[in-house]
């Protein structure tokens, strides 16, 4: 087994040393064996192709034909297409590989209606054609080439998919003009409940002549497969049946819709051979749909030669009880762990008690069934909807020092890498991006941006701005993540070890947990100080002895008690003898 020297890390004035350690159960032949690699061995990178890298200038405006997928290129606007594409991702595979990324998750890349009444489809969620790639991002062949190139580097590729809705094509006579625009003074089509429908109070749907056959497959053009109940209020039944800002909401309880969506995504698996799916808006789709969809998709992937195909859903909820319904009752192997995101932000950005983490992980058994568990959850610190980790750091205290802001980002990324779950890095966070809020204000360009509201942001750990090209492999956050990624890959206990509480106290920013993998006889003790003052602590090791992996100089073990003085905003790691 190889001996790895991870290096030296300087944390807030105190030198902490990564000890020489033997790697345990490394991912053997990662470059050749990616298809057989367990998803728990992966480190994800969530990327918005339009904002990442422009590899092909010729497709910036999409294609002239079909017309609904043309236009919208406006690199000066937060809402416009900025030119990033699939070729741009392929050009930066070595950058991602050096960061430690083993799986890329892209926002939706299927063909969109480029321009709707409320914006431009740079984010890819307004699909009209589920059979081909949006011309702003490239072609089907470009996508196949990216997947092959990524696989050759041991990197998996995940698609972001949508089953809840399509682009806004269906209109209603009662609240739209005949040309399809909103009537003056009306901002939405008010939701009509199931009770209203039963009483005969319903909308009359229509489709503009030029859009009657715009969707593919053809069955998607029939209004009978949609709810047609007006815009969602995101409460009660409207959360399942209403349109998201006019997006055509599919009736996912309809047997033909279930069968049709399964066929759509089985065909994509057959053609492109991706390694898995992230599924959008899961909680806005009927539970019975997921019970049919997820097993059918996974079985098909296995049948076409993708034995480790993985599926995870977006359930935008911070309650483990709500999240876990979809991994158990809903038959999804995994979901994005919004509960983890909130707790990590509360502890490392907002100064709240680490007891929140203890309470969170005590609920991990909720996720357990025959195909899911808490260690399959996708953990993250920010995203394209809610905002960036750097934004949350500034939001809580914009006056803190630049060094503290940087260290909070590094510390929270370390927490994500060292605790249970599968880590997801949001593109640009490794370059210190901060953003101005959520949605379009958290979607900066990695290549040289022309958006004024992006370029005036002060980034973490650098003097650069988003007006510069931001693929700096010497950036301190990039380097910290790269070291942690390699560390995680080299040590099975960080990928498979069971999470166990070790030290938590009310009103104490210092906390400790263990990762325990008895199958290889390993236990690691990980201690964090999320506070801004140096802290000392002691606690019983229950007859165990530990040696340092990443250690402060002021730590010792006397008999059964562990004594530690931990610098502000820092962490240490010990291994059981």
């Amino acid at each position: 087994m190889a001996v790895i020297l991870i290096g030296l890390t300087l944390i807030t004035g105190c030198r902490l040393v990564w000890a020489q350690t033997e790697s345990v159960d490394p991912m053997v032949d990662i470059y050749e064996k990616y298809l057989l690699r367990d998803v728990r061995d992966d480190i994800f990178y969530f990327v918005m192709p339009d904002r990442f890298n422009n590899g092909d200038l010729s497709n910036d405006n999409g294609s002239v034909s079909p017309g609904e997928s043309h236009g919208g290129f406006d690199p000066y606007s937060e809402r416009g297409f900025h030119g990033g594409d699939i070729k741009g991702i392929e050009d930066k595979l070595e950058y991602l590989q050096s960061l430690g990324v083993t799986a890329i998750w892209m926002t939706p890349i299927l063909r969109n209606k480029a321009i709707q009444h409320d914006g431009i489809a740079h984010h890819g969620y307004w699909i009209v054609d589920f059979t081909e790639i949006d011309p702003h991002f490239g072609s089907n062949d470009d996508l196949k080439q990216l997947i092959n190139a990524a696989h050759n580097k041991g990197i998996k590729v995940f698609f972001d998919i949508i089953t809840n809705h399509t682009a806004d094509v269906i209109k209603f006579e009662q609240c739209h003009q005949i040309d399809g625009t909103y009537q003056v003074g009306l901002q939405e089509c008010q939701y009509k409940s199931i009770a209203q429908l039963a009483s005969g109070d319903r909308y009359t749907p229509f489709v503009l002549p030029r859009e009657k056959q715009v969707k593919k497959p053809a069955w998607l053009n029939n209004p009978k497969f949609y709810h047609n109940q007006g815009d969602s209020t995101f409460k009660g039944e409207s959360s399942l049946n209403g349109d998201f800002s006019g997006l055509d909401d599919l009736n996912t309880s309809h047997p033909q819709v279930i069968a049709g969506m399964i066929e759509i995504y089985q065909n994509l698996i057959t053609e492109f051979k991706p390694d898995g799916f992230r599924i959008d808006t899961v909680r806005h789709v009927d539970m019975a749909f997921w019970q049919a969809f997820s097993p059918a998709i996974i079985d098909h992937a296995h049948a076409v030669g993708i034995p480790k195909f993985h599926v995870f859903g977006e359930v935008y909820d911070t309650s483990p009880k709500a999240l876990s319904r979809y991994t158990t009752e809903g038959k999804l192997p995994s979901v994005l762990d919004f509960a983890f995101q909130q707790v990590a932000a509360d502890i490392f950005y907002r100064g709240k008690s680490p007891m929140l983490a203890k309470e969170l992980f005590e609920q991990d058994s909720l996720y357990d069934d025959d195909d899911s568990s808490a260690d399959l959850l996708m953990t993250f610190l920010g995203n394209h909807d809610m905002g960036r980790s750097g934004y949350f750091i500034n939001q809580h205290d914009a006056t803190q020092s630049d060094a503290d802001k940087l260290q909070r980002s590094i510390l929270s990324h370390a927490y994500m890498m060292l605790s249970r779950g599968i880590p997801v890095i949001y593109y640009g966070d490794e370059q210190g991006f901060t953003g101005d809020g959520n949605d379009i204000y958290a979607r900066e360009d990695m290549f040289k941006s022309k958006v004024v509201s992006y370029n005036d942001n002060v980034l973490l750990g650098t003097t650069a701005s988003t007006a510069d090209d931001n693929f700096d492999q010497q950036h301190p956050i990039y380097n910290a993540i790269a070291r942690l990624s390699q560390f995680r890959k080299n040590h099975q206990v960080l990928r498979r070890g069971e999470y166990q509480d070790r030290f938590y106290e009310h009103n104490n920013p210092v906390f400790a947990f263990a990762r325990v993998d008895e199958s290889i006889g390993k236990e690691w003790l990980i201690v964090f100080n999320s506070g801004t003052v140096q802290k000392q602590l002691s606690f019983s090791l229950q007859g165990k002895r530990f040696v340092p992996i990443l250690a402060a100089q002021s730590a010792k073990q006397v008999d059964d008690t562990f004594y530690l003085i931990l610098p502000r905003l820092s962490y240490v790691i010990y291994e059981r003898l």
Side-chain angles (χ1 to χ4, degrees):
M1 293 182 288
V3 175
I4 306 295
L5 178 61
I6 299 299
L8 300 178
T9 303
L10 186 64
I11 301 184
T12 321
C14 178
R15 185 169 293 278
L16 304 181
V17 180
W18 290 97
Q20 282 197 4
T21 59
E22 283 192 340
S23 61
V24 178
D25 188 26
M27 292 180 285
V28 178
D29 296 329
I30 183 173
Y31 301 108
E32 292 79 17
K33 303 293 186 182
Y34 71 90
L35 278 176
L36 301 179
R37 189 171 68 231
D38 191 294
V39 72
R40 291 172 295 178
D41 295 333
D42 283 315
I43 296 164
F44 277 70
Y45 189 84
F46 172 34
V47 61
M48 181 168 284
D50 180 64
R51 305 298 168 92
F52 184 65
N53 186 42
N54 192 347
D56 182 357
L57 300 178
S58 70
N59 62 24
D60 289 355
N61 245 318
S63 61
V64 175
S65 177
E68 68 274 0
S69 298
H70 176 69
F73 179 67
D74 186 352
Y76 297 93
S77 168
E78 298 96 336
R79 297 185 181 277
F81 280 104
H82 289 183
D85 46 38
I86 293 168
K87 180 66 166 58
I89 295 175
E90 183 181 350
D91 289 345
K92 295 297 182 181
L93 286 177
E94 290 187 5
Y95 167 88
L96 297 175
Q97 187 179 40
S98 296
L99 182 62
V101 169
T102 65
I104 301 167
W105 149 33
M106 300 178 289
T107 47
I109 51 178
L110 297 177
R111 188 160 66 78
N112 276 237
K113 184 178 181 181
I115 302 171
Q116 295 187 171
H117 66 87
D118 57 344
I120 297 170
H122 68 272
H123 49 2
Y125 290 95
W126 301 345
I127 299 174
V128 289
D129 187 338
F130 289 78
T131 68
E132 67 179 17
I133 306 310
D134 191 278
H136 291 86
F137 305 137
S139 66
N140 286 19
D141 286 341
D142 290 333
L143 179 58
K144 292 172 185 176
Q145 182 172 314
L146 168 64
I147 293 172
N148 286 337
H151 284 174
N152 286 336
K153 292 184 177 296
I155 298 175
K156 299 177 182 178
V157 177
F158 279 64
F159 295 174
D160 197 325
I161 69 167
I162 305 164
T163 65
N164 177 67
H165 58 262
T166 69
D168 182 12
V169 172
I170 298 173
K171 307 298 181 185
F172 306 126
E173 292 180 1
Q174 289 80 0
C175 58
H176 294 130
Q177 293 178 341
I178 193 65
D179 66 354
T181 61
Y182 282 101
Q183 291 181 359
V184 176
L186 285 181
Q187 299 302 311
E188 61 180 22
C189 294
Q190 188 175 6
Y191 180 76
K192 293 188 181 296
S193 68
I194 294 173
Q196 286 176 289
L197 299 186
S199 69
D201 181 11
R202 60 179 65 236
Y203 287 117
T204 305
F206 72 94
V207 177
L208 298 175
R210 66 176 180 271
E211 294 184 332
K212 283 188 178 294
Q213 299 301 320
V214 74
K215 296 179 185 178
K216 295 182 181 179
W219 65 268
L220 289 167
N221 293 297
N222 192 332
K224 78 174 185 178
F225 294 125
Y226 299 83
H227 282 115
N228 302 318
Q229 291 176 240
D231 286 313
S232 177
T233 65
F234 304 100
K235 297 178 182 178
E237 67 175 62
S238 84
S239 185
L240 282 177
N241 301 340
D243 293 351
F244 280 34
S245 301
L247 294 169
D248 299 346
D249 193 73
L250 284 158
N251 181 358
T252 50
S253 65
H254 196 297
Q256 287 177 257
V257 172
I258 297 173
M261 295 309 288
I262 288 174
E263 182 179 25
I264 282 171
Y265 289 111
Q266 286 178 335
N267 289 342
L268 286 177
I269 292 170
T270 299
E271 180 174 1
F272 295 104
K273 303 293 192 304
D275 300 286
F277 289 156
R278 177 268 195 185
I279 309 175
D280 183 56
T281 54
V282 163
R283 69 171 178 168
H284 303 291
V285 173
D286 299 87
M287 188 67 76
F289 179 94
W290 300 123
Q291 292 169 338
F293 182 86
S294 181
I297 289 298
I298 293 171
D299 287 348
H300 180 77
H302 293 173
V304 298
I306 314 173
K308 295 295 184 178
F309 193 89
H310 183 58
V311 171
F312 59 99
E314 179 214 28
V315 181
Y316 206 142
D317 199 303
T318 59
S319 163
K321 185 175 182 180
L323 292 169
S324 63
R325 278 193 65 214
Y326 293 89
T327 70
T328 52
E329 183 182 349
K331 301 299 182 185
L332 293 173
S334 175
V335 292
L336 285 158
D337 195 349
F338 280 85
F340 176 93
Q341 188 282 331
Q342 182 180 62
V343 165
D346 281 346
I347 294 171
F348 293 105
Y349 310 153
R350 303 178 186 120
K352 294 187 179 181
S353 171
M355 288 295 291
L356 293 169
K358 176 178 170 62
E359 294 164 2
L360 171 67
F361 295 131
E362 284 173 347
Q363 302 176 72
D364 276 359
S365 62
L366 291 171
Y367 297 95
D368 292 343
D369 69 356
D370 59 343
D371 66 350
S372 61
S373 60
D375 63 350
L376 286 172
L377 295 174
M378 312 297 292
T379 56
F380 66 102
L381 301 172
N383 66 23
H384 63 318
D385 286 329
M386 62 169 35
R388 292 187 176 277
S389 57
Y391 172 71
F392 301 133
I393 291 169
N394 280 327
Q395 186 183 43
H396 177 68
D397 182 7
T399 65
Q400 64 187 304
S401 71
D402 291 343
D404 277 8
K405 291 178 183 179
L406 172 62
Q407 186 58 24
R408 288 184 186 279
S409 178
I410 291 173
L411 200 62
S412 59
H413 279 93
Y415 182 62
M416 179 174 68
M417 289 286 189
L418 298 172
S419 55
R420 69 99 177 101
I422 301 165
V424 180
I425 303 159
Y426 182 42
Y427 89 96
D429 280 2
E430 79 279 11
Q431 295 294 330
F433 284 14
T434 52
D436 289 316
N438 65 345
D439 196 65
I440 57 172
Y441 303 107
R443 302 174 182 178
E444 303 97 312
D445 304 311
M446 292 278 283
F447 53 98
K448 293 181 179 181
S449 182
K450 298 179 181 178
V451 179
V452 173
S453 66
Y454 294 165
N455 294 344
D456 65 5
N457 293 340
V458 178
L459 309 189
L460 306 182
T462 179
T463 58
S465 76
T466 54
D468 301 303
D469 193 72
N470 280 280
F471 294 95
D472 179 10
Q473 293 184 221
Q474 301 307 312
H475 191 289
I477 301 177
Y478 182 100
N479 277 328
I481 293 173
R483 288 195 298 268
L484 285 159
S485 297
Q486 189 61 49
F487 200 50
R488 184 179 174 94
K489 292 173 187 176
N490 288 340
H491 297 283
Q492 177 178 309
V493 69
L494 294 177
R495 309 191 311 271
R496 309 295 178 84
E498 177 186 353
Y499 169 94
Q500 295 181 6
D501 292 342
R502 286 295 180 265
F503 178 85
Y504 287 89
E505 282 185 344
H506 288 287
N507 303 315
N508 190 341
V510 175
F511 63 103
F513 60 91
R515 300 296 304 276
V516 182
D517 188 345
E518 293 298 358
S519 71
I520 57 173
K522 293 289 183 181
E523 176 180 345
W524 281 25
L525 175 68
I526 303 167
V527 189
F528 279 87
N529 180 2
S530 60
T532 55
V533 296
Q534 179 175 278
K535 299 288 288 187
Q536 54 185 331
L537 75 156
S538 63
F539 57 94
S540 172
L541 293 176
Q542 301 175 333
K544 302 171 184 175
R545 296 199 65 80
F546 286 81
V547 295
I549 299 296
L550 170 66
Q553 295 173 343
S554 53
K556 62 181 178 178
Q557 184 172 348
V558 179
D559 297 327
D560 192 42
T561 304
F562 183 67
Y563 298 90
L564 175 66
I565 299 176
L566 195 58
R568 63 195 300 278
L569 297 175
S570 67
Y571 68 98
V572 293
I573 306 172
Y574 288 80
E575 181 179 11
R576 185 186 71 197
L577 284 174

